[in-house]
Amino acid sequence: MKDTLGIIYAAEDDVDIREFTKKRSIAALPFGARYRLIDFTLSNMVNSGIKNVGIITQNNYASLVNHIGTGKEWGLDRKREGISILSPFAIHDTAGWYKGSIDALHSAMGFIRKTNQKYVLISGTHMLCNINFSDMQEFHINKGADITIVYKEENIRKDKLRKYTLIQKDDEGRIIDIEVHPTIPKSNNVSMKMYLLEKELLEYLIEEAVARGYEDFVKDIILKKINKLNMYAYQFNGYLARIDSLTTYYRFSMELLKKEIRDELFYKNGLIYTRVKDEVPAKYSEDAFVRNCLIADGCIVDGEVENSILFRGVKVNKGAKIKNSIIFQECEIEENAFLDHVILDKKVTIKRGRTLIGTENYPVAINKGEVI
């Protein structure tokens, strides 16, 4: 897919994880002991042969920029093309804040026009999967499609489908209708918000939409062009984690404790890469008890940890117990503290003897740097 430009839309505004996105974008949200959400989209693009990627950011993107760096870990640290951070303050066409996804793409058109690729692949960051986009492009070309959208058929309750964008298609895969957050869903084909189209078509659609004062890429372009353009739906059959709330973040994080899930998400169609940090191996004392956990480098465990995920540099003191929890980087759990169904942001300290207990649907979330 060297003829394809990757555009990662990291300015997503339809994801509600306010507890952990006040000071970071959703794309930079930690996941799986050492990764960030953007690692999956970026790695999928690179593994599919895409060599030129632009990342559209909006606010709170400092941690994202720090994580991406030069793009070395993804093989994108190159003199020509490679990786480009498209912040609202670095793009001349914007006043610093996007009105919507169309405005964001319009602001990035200066960058997009200068690229040499024929196609553009647009994707968000909160749909985590391991997908080879080359198969999608082959499908796109064979169908003679103007726009191809990736979807997954979900067998979940209709009331759960209401918060998604749903695709209706015919037997050939041609899209005949799209529902955005429908009250009564007519389909269970959930859009994964990944779009493939030619660069010239994207430019035309964006310029036309801006001239008409439109703001939303799906509602104002995709929906209104269904009967005018050949739009096709490409089915993804693999594992998909939709991170759009605190509850789903917790649930899909805990699913990583299953080996079959880890194997499919991190290895199936290519490795998922992330920024490498040199840390000493995790250290376990003679009193430590650990079962069914993901524990990153730099951790020191003197207490008990079960069914949990620990990011780099976490310290669990003697007598402390952690169950069914997610502990971000550089947290400390002091002696005899007890955590169950808890998510701690970075650099949180839980003082001696403290107890925090949540549930699977309502985990306790503690903000960055808090002392409890």
Side-chain angles (χ1 to χ4, degrees):
M1 293 184 72
K2 293 181 180 179
D3 59 346
T4 303
L5 168 69
I7 293 293
I8 299 178
Y9 184 63
E12 297 157 291
D13 57 4
D14 56 350
V15 178
D16 185 13
I17 314 181
R18 286 168 289 182
E19 295 86 351
F20 299 127
T21 55
K22 292 178 181 178
K23 296 182 179 180
R24 64 166 72 89
S25 68
I26 183 67
L29 184 65
F31 186 77
R34 60 193 294 262
Y35 298 86
R36 306 282 183 129
L37 297 196
I38 196 171
D39 293 340
F40 295 85
T41 304
L42 190 53
S43 297
N44 287 333
M45 287 184 173
V46 169
N47 291 336
S48 301
I50 295 175
K51 302 299 183 183
N52 194 11
V53 179
I55 302 175
I56 299 177
T57 65
Q58 180 152 269
N59 62 329
N60 297 328
Y61 56 85
S63 61
L64 177 63
V65 172
N66 181 61
H67 176 72
I68 296 298
T70 63
K72 177 182 178 180
E73 283 76 12
W74 296 269
L76 295 174
D77 55 333
R78 42 182 76 219
K79 292 182 178 179
R80 295 182 180 178
E81 300 185 334
I83 199 159
S84 301
I85 303 295
L86 309 175
S87 70
F89 304 101
I91 302 173
H92 300 299
D93 297 342
T94 179
W97 196 268
Y98 305 129
K99 298 176 183 177
S101 50
I102 289 176
D103 187 31
L105 287 166
H106 182 250
S107 298
M109 284 311 300
F111 164 79
I112 295 172
R113 289 190 191 100
K114 293 178 183 178
T115 62
N116 296 319
Q117 286 74 27
K118 178 179 179 181
Y119 298 97
V120 179
L121 174 66
I122 303 171
S123 176
T125 62
H126 73 280
M127 298 272 187
L128 309 189
C129 63
N130 195 315
I131 182 174
N132 190 324
F133 290 118
S134 299
D135 297 333
M136 175 192 181
Q137 187 179 55
E138 183 179 355
F139 172 90
H140 177 86
I141 294 172
N142 289 340
K143 291 292 185 180
D146 293 315
I147 300 176
T148 297
I149 306 173
V150 183
Y151 78 95
K152 182 172 175 62
E153 185 176 351
E154 294 282 17
N155 296 315
I156 57 178
R157 298 198 321 260
K158 283 193 173 183
D159 62 310
K160 297 288 186 181
L161 289 169
R162 292 173 184 168
K163 63 179 181 178
Y164 300 120
T165 298
L166 306 178
I167 294 173
Q168 294 184 49
K169 62 183 185 64
D170 62 20
D171 293 338
E172 298 297 319
R174 176 81 180 264
I175 296 175
I176 57 178
D177 197 10
I178 291 179
E179 305 171 286
V180 180
H181 310 311
T183 303
I184 304 176
K186 298 177 182 178
S187 168
N188 63 341
N189 298 324
V190 177
S191 169
M192 292 171 58
K193 301 183 179 180
M194 301 172 183
Y195 312 92
L196 180 67
L197 68 166
E198 290 192 8
K199 183 171 66 176
E200 289 185 0
L201 176 60
L202 175 64
E203 182 177 355
Y204 169 78
L205 293 174
I206 293 298
E207 293 297 341
E208 180 187 47
V210 169
R212 296 177 182 274
Y214 296 157
E215 296 182 356
D216 189 89
F217 183 75
V218 175
K219 295 178 182 178
D220 294 323
I221 292 182
I222 300 296
L223 266 174
K224 293 177 179 179
K225 295 291 185 179
I226 285 179
N227 296 323
K228 298 179 180 179
L229 296 174
N230 290 323
M231 296 190 194
Y232 279 83
Y234 174 79
Q235 185 171 9
F236 174 70
N237 294 312
Y239 177 81
L240 173 65
R242 297 180 305 275
I243 310 296
D244 54 14
S245 67
L246 184 65
T247 301
T248 56
Y249 174 78
Y250 177 82
R251 176 161 63 89
F252 287 117
S253 292
M254 300 308 289
E255 285 192 358
L256 294 178
L257 298 177
K258 302 175 183 177
K259 184 179 183 301
E260 62 272 19
I261 298 297
R262 293 198 303 274
D263 288 346
E264 179 164 352
L265 187 57
F266 289 100
Y267 304 110
K268 185 176 182 180
N269 291 306
L271 296 177
I272 302 301
Y273 304 99
T274 190
R275 182 183 178 187
V276 175
K277 293 185 179 180
D278 294 327
E279 294 273 1
V280 297
K283 179 181 178 182
Y284 305 89
S285 73
E286 294 181 355
D287 297 322
F289 173 83
V290 177
R291 181 167 61 187
N292 193 33
C293 294
L294 294 178
I295 297 182
D297 293 342
C299 291
I300 300 175
V301 181
D302 293 325
E304 298 181 16
V305 187
E306 185 176 359
N307 297 327
S308 295
I309 298 172
L310 273 57
F311 286 77
R312 296 181 178 98
V314 172
K315 185 175 182 182
V316 183
N317 286 285
K318 187 175 181 179
K321 296 182 180 180
I322 302 174
K323 292 184 177 181
N324 310 306
S325 296
I326 303 166
I327 313 300
F328 284 15
Q329 189 174 339
E330 297 179 19
C331 291
E332 180 173 2
I333 318 301
E334 294 188 354
E335 294 85 349
N336 301 317
F338 178 73
L339 305 180
D340 189 5
H341 290 93
V342 172
I343 308 175
L344 303 184
D345 204 338
K346 292 176 61 176
K347 298 183 179 180
V348 170
T349 299
I350 304 298
K351 303 298 286 185
R352 179 180 302 181
R354 295 293 185 183
T355 296
L356 295 176
I357 300 177
T359 66
E360 184 175 350
N361 291 326
Y362 299 98
V364 175
I366 305 300
N367 293 331
K368 180 179 178 180
E370 294 283 343
V371 177
I372 305 297

